[in-house]
Amino acid sequence: MAKTVLKKPIPAASSDPKVPVTLTVNGETVTREASPRMLLSDFIRHELGLTGTHVGCEHGVCGCCTVTIDGRAGRSCLAFAVQADGAEIRTIEGVADEDGTLHPIQQAMMECHGLQCGYCTPGFVMSMLSYLEETPEPDLSEKAIREVLSGNLCRCTGYANIVKAFRRSVELMNAAAD
Amino acid sequence: MKPALFDYVAPETVEAAVAALAGDETARPLAGGQSLIPTMNFRLSAPGRLVDLRRIEALRGIAVADGTIRVGAMTRHRELETHEGANRANPLIGEVLDNVAHIAIRNRGTVGGSIAHADSAAELPCLLVATGGTVSVQGPDGSREIGADDLFRFHMTTSLAQTEILTEVRIPALPPGTGYAFEEFARRRGDYALAGVCTLLTVEDGRCGEARIAACGIGARPVRLAAAEDALRGRAVDDAARADAGEAAREYMTAPADMQAGVAYRTDLLAALVRRTVATAARRAGG
C-alpha cells in the first residue's frame, strides 16, 4: 500500500501573530517573539531551551512546571508568556551555584533520596525554594510540611523522603546562614 | 492541550479595559488566570480577546478602615492570606484562604478573579455570602455596587455584564465577640470541596444571638443556610442545637451526584460540617 503523502509540509514554526516578550530568567534579560497564546512553560522550554522545567498535566494540578515569578512559586502552565513580560523568572537551572555547587534544597533532596524518577523534582525544589525564602522560620511539623508540598505530585509516591528533605533543607540553609 | 488563538491587550486603566471588553463580545478579562487558563488549555473556553488587568495599579492593594476590608480585585490570594490587618479585622479570611488550592496557585490567583469566576464550589464566594460582603464593578455606564446575595446567579455566572469589570471586593470586619469557622471536605488537599461551610455567630448569656451560615459545593451557587441559622438563634449552642442546625441544612442540597460523591453522602457531609463549624464558632465566641 502506498504511503500517505502530506498535502502540505508541516510548518517548522507557528504562523501565529507574535508580540515581543522581555523578561529576566535566572538573572539574564532575554527578548523573544511569542504568540500571546504561548504558555510560559512552553516559552521557557522551547524558546529559551531551559528544559529543566517539566510539563506534566498542563492544567495546574501536578506542579511539575512550577517556577518562581517575581520571587513567588507559580505554575508556568497557568500563565501566558506575555503575562510575564517584565517579570523576573527563576527556573531550576538557576538554583545551583555557577560552579555547580548544589543549593541546600538540592543537596537535601539528594541526601534524603527525595527523588526517584526525578520528573517532579524541579517543581518540588522551586516550591520549597519559594516557601523557604518567604518564611524564615517554617513550621517543621509533618502536617505543615505536607501542606506546603501538597501542590506538587510525585507519582513515584516518594513523599516520605521529600518531607525529610524539606527538614534537611532547613537545617542546611540555617547552617549556611550562620 | 494548547489554548485557541486570541487577541491580547494589557491596558493601564479600568476605563481602557472596559473599552477593550466592549469592542468584542467574546472578550474576557484575565486576572490571575488560575481558573481561566486551565479551561482555555482544555479548550472548554476560547475567548477571542483577553484583556489582561495586571498593569492596572488601581486594582491592587488592601485597606482596612471603618469596619471594612477593601481588597483591590487584582490582589493575590496569598497577599490577603498573609495580610495582618485584614486577618485581625476578620480572622475568617485566613481560615478560608488556607483551603484554596495550593500556595503556588494562591500566589497567582486573585481575589476579584475568584469571585468573578463564581465557581459554585469555590471558597471566596462562600466567604462573601457568609459575611455579607459587596463588590464594586465598572462598566461603560460607570460603576455600581453589588451585594453578595445579588452577585452569584449560577455556577460560573454572576450578575456582571460582559462589559463590566469587578474592581473591588469589600469584606466586613467581624464585630467583636463574633465566633467564626470555616471547614471543608475535599478528596485531596487543595481540590475543590465536596462541601464547605462558613459559620459566624455570637453568644450572649449562653445563647446564640446572631448567626450567619453559608455553604459552597452543594448547589449551583454559594447559599445562605437560613433554616440552620434559625435553628440556632436564641438557643444554647449544645449538642441538640448543633444537631438541629445540621438537619435543617439538608434541604439546601441541590448538587447532583457526580463522580466524587452521591447526593446522600454529600448531604451527610453538609450536616456534619454545619455541626462542626457551629461548635468551633461557638467556642471562639466564648460560648
Side-chain angles (χ1 to χ4, degrees), chain A residues 52 63-67 92 119-128 152:
Chain A
C64 288
C65 69
T66 305
V67 298
I92 192 68
Y119 196 84
C120 67
T121 311
F124 270 100
V125 171
M126 298 315 292
S127 290
M128 285 156 77
N152 293 78

Side-chain angles (χ1 to χ4, degrees), chain A residues 124-145:
Chain A
F124 270 100
V125 171
M126 298 315 292
S127 290
M128 285 156 77
L129 183 75
S130 165
Y131 182 75
L132 291 175
E133 285 182 351
E134 180 192 352
T135 317
E137 289 177 20
D139 181 346
L140 293 180
S141 69
E142 182 83 9
K143 185 171 182 285
I145 295 173

